Amino acid sequence: MLAIIASATVLGVEGCQVSVEVHVASGLPAFTIVGLPDTACREARDRVRAALGSSGVTWPSRRVTVNLAPSGVRKNGAGLDLAVAVGVLVAEGVIPAEAVAATGFVGELGLDGSVRRVPGMVPLVAALAGTSVVVPAGCAAEAKLIGRHHVREVGNLAELMAALKGESPWPEPRADDVALLACDEPDLADVRGHSMARLALEVAAAGGHHLLMVGPPGAGKTMLARRLPGLLPDLAPDAALEATTVHSAAGLSLPPTGLVLRPPLRAPHHGSSAVALVGGGTAYMRPGEISLASQGVLFLDELAEFPRSVLDALRQPLEEGVVRVCRARAAVAYPARFLLVGAMNPCPCGEGGPPGACRCSDATRIRYGRRISGPLLDRFDLRIEVTRAHPADLLAGVPGEASAVVAARVVVARCRAAARGVSCNAELSGRRLEREGRLSAGAAAMLEGGLRSGSLSARGLQRVRRVARTLADLAGREGTLGEEDVCLALQLRAEPARLGAAA
Ligand SMILES: [Zn+2]
């Protein structure tokens, strides 16, 4: 007999509906799975057979063939286990076929018959066309985010069989075991001093400008970077669903609300591989750190310690807002619209700055600076020096301005950008920038001086104008950009030579 059960697999961050066709026929006992399964998926044979055995079902001593359609799509992971088991039960007549009509099944099976969580519940359920879906215990909250299905969760096969046969009611959804993500964001009020860095964070949040901080260890670069997401507004509904889908596809736990509503912060270590950062992988394609940081902040501490090849892999996503990963088996596109914050020491010894403090030779310092390629350095609209806070500031006991106060100004500035048809000023380009970034005579003269002396490049000029636009927006100044905006924008974009690093 033939049974067809709906399930789904994840490709990139998108789900793809899979029909699990189970055929049980007389012949020599065998169990085969066809239709491009990967290794984990092929091992479903052993898990399904053991799980059914543990649940009191005798394995058919006939020929069982499972086809995963469409056959052109590679099936990942163990999420199809449950559908295969249900297919065998229906084909064997243990469960009536009507009981599983218009119902999708997603979950991995344990050898004891338990039904286990798989990564990507949100995209998996989104791909299912039916009206009902059965998911592992603890996954109902994620599955309900899609909102189209009647969601039921089961802890093991025995429960599922009893419910499908109508012998007992469906189990009540359990208390969600989704781990609590840290939702208390650190506050800027904890930061003493650092007036320039605070301004840079505010401008980065308001205008979506990438930020590079250069300074000695212990100056507070990490502390500052971790406070940037707290200045960003809540995610809009479509951005929230996108961020949630990416987190779900990566198998990360979701916040108790189900949706990722706050801009995420990802801070991968400099030892991370290009695949961990950009996404991909051979066995199981998963989104990388830059996609998990999409709609939020990607913080790269010790920027100069990242391998050059890894940093170069960032350039295309920074330009396009998506990252395309091609592997032998599939090509997928992951979202990658993140705010990049880099932090680095001025030189290998970390001290940089005045002669005497730094113990590095000139040659060492130059070599260190060259680890960041020109094109990547150019992406940072904001480049500031972060020095250790002044002892008087640390002891004064006056708390800094709170994140909520700064975030309110950021929202106003972003509204001004939205009125121009962009989500933030960093996206202003070409004709829009010409119109929105007109310069007063004094401001133009100031920039001309920079261009003539060579301290400002043509591309740098455009970036300075965007930052100046954001500064004016934050201050509530409309119209042409004045000298004060341009002067401050230039200060926020220290030339690499001045930062000591790329001397
Ligand atoms: Zn040094």
Side-chain angles (χ1 to χ4, degrees):
M1 193 189 155
L2 176 70
I4 300 175
I5 309 296
S7 188
T9 190
V10 178
L11 281 177
V13 293
E14 282 180 32
C16 173
Q17 171 146 333
V18 174
S19 288
V20 178
E21 301 166 358
V22 181
H23 188 244
V24 180
S26 50
L28 282 177
F31 186 12
T32 38
I33 297 185
V34 297
L36 276 185
D38 73 353
T39 316
C41 196
R42 212 173 295 127
E43 287 161 358
R45 289 191 309 182
D46 304 318
R47 286 190 302 271
V48 169
R49 198 195 298 239
L52 285 173
S54 307
S55 311
V57 177
T58 320
W59 187 257
S61 59
R62 295 195 285 164
R63 205 175 62 199
V64 180
T65 311
V66 174
N67 179 39
L68 308 174
S71 58
V73 173
R74 181 153 285 272
K75 321 302 182 303
N76 290 307
L80 298 168
D81 287 6
L82 186 60
V84 173
V86 170
V88 171
L89 290 170
V90 173
E92 278 288 273
V94 179
I95 293 173
E98 310 84 71
V100 298
T103 303
F105 295 83
V106 177
E108 177 182 342
L109 290 177
L111 300 185
D112 57 352
S114 58
V115 179
R116 294 174 182 166
R117 158 190 294 276
V118 289
M121 201 49 70
V122 177
L124 285 170
V125 173
L128 290 168
T131 50
S132 301
V133 58
V134 177
V135 298
C139 295
E142 278 175 66
K144 279 180 183 157
L145 288 175
I146 301 303
R148 285 203 312 268
H149 306 87
H150 194 91
V151 177
R152 289 176 166 131
E153 51 172 56
V154 290
N156 57 59
L157 268 183
E159 269 179 16
L160 177 66
M161 285 190 288
L164 286 174
K165 283 193 267 185
E167 290 169 356
S168 58
W170 285 95
E172 284 293 310
R174 281 153 225 213
D176 218 12
D177 66 350
V178 170
L180 274 162
L181 286 189
C183 34
D184 48 335
E185 292 166 334
D187 201 284
L188 258 186
D190 313 333
V191 178
R192 308 280 161 86
H194 287 304
S195 54
M196 196 65 166
R198 294 178 69 104
L199 174 66
L201 285 181
E202 181 172 341
V203 173
H209 305 289
H210 303 305
L211 166 66
L212 177 63
M213 295 185 279
V214 180
K221 303 187 293 287
T222 305
M223 176 186 68
L224 287 159
R226 292 201 175 274
R227 281 157 176 79
L228 181 52
L231 306 183
L232 294 169
D234 281 343
L235 299 182
D238 51 341
L241 193 59
E242 182 193 284
T244 306
T245 308
V246 174
H247 277 69
S248 181
L252 297 189
S253 50
L254 295 175
T257 48
L259 277 177
V260 176
L261 292 171
R262 292 292 304 151
L265 171 80
R266 302 295 300 182
H269 186 258
H270 56 73
S272 306
S273 66
V275 166
L277 211 67
V278 171
T282 44
Y284 175 63
M285 294 277 274
R286 53 164 282 162
E289 291 290 336
I290 62 170
S291 299
L292 290 166
S294 196
Q295 309 293 347
V297 176
L298 180 71
F299 175 46
L300 301 182
D301 200 3
E302 309 278 2
L303 191 64
E305 304 296 329
F306 279 83
R308 184 83 176 245
S309 58
V310 171
L311 292 181
D312 283 343
L314 291 177
R315 279 162 52 192
Q316 175 259 326
L318 276 171
E319 202 64 42
E320 297 177 26
V322 292
V323 56
R324 286 173 232 289
V325 183
C326 297
R327 292 289 178 272
R329 290 167 177 173
V332 295
Y334 296 110
R337 269 182 301 278
F338 52 87
L339 189 49
L340 177 61
V341 178
M344 60 189 283
N345 296 336
C347 61
C349 84
E351 290 306 319
C358 174
R359 298 185 299 276
C360 310
S361 70
D362 286 349
T364 329
R365 291 178 65 147
I366 290 169
R367 219 177 308 127
Y368 187 76
R370 284 203 187 130
R371 290 195 197 168
I372 317 286
S373 70
L376 179 64
L377 200 60
D378 202 56
R379 296 276 184 278
F380 292 103
D381 291 356
L382 303 166
R383 301 193 290 235
I384 57 160
E385 208 175 340
V386 179
T387 49
R388 294 194 179 100
H390 199 274
D393 285 332
L394 293 176
L395 294 170
V398 185
E401 203 175 18
S403 289
V405 181
V406 182
R409 287 197 297 269
V410 167
V411 168
V412 174
R414 287 210 166 215
C415 285
R416 288 174 193 271
R420 299 179 188 118
V422 291
S423 70
C424 54
N425 288 340
E427 291 172 9
L428 286 174
S429 59
R431 215 177 293 165
R432 273 216 181 98
L433 183 62
E434 288 302 323
R435 193 170 61 233
E436 305 297 342
R438 283 191 306 274
L439 300 161
S440 71
M446 192 181 280
L447 289 174
E448 198 187 328
L451 286 167
R452 280 184 194 282
S453 71
S455 65
L456 192 63
S457 67
R459 202 174 341 188
L461 172 71
Q462 303 302 334
R463 293 179 179 272
V464 168
R465 284 170 80 179
R466 286 189 201 111
V467 171
R469 182 70 264 165
T470 303
L471 285 163
D473 287 351
L474 282 168
R477 283 190 286 272
E478 309 259 0
T480 53
L481 301 171
E483 279 170 65
E484 49 188 326
D485 300 323
V486 167
C487 178
L488 200 46
L490 285 169
Q491 282 178 40
L492 285 169
R493 188 186 159 81
E495 283 307 306
R498 280 194 42 218
L499 295 170

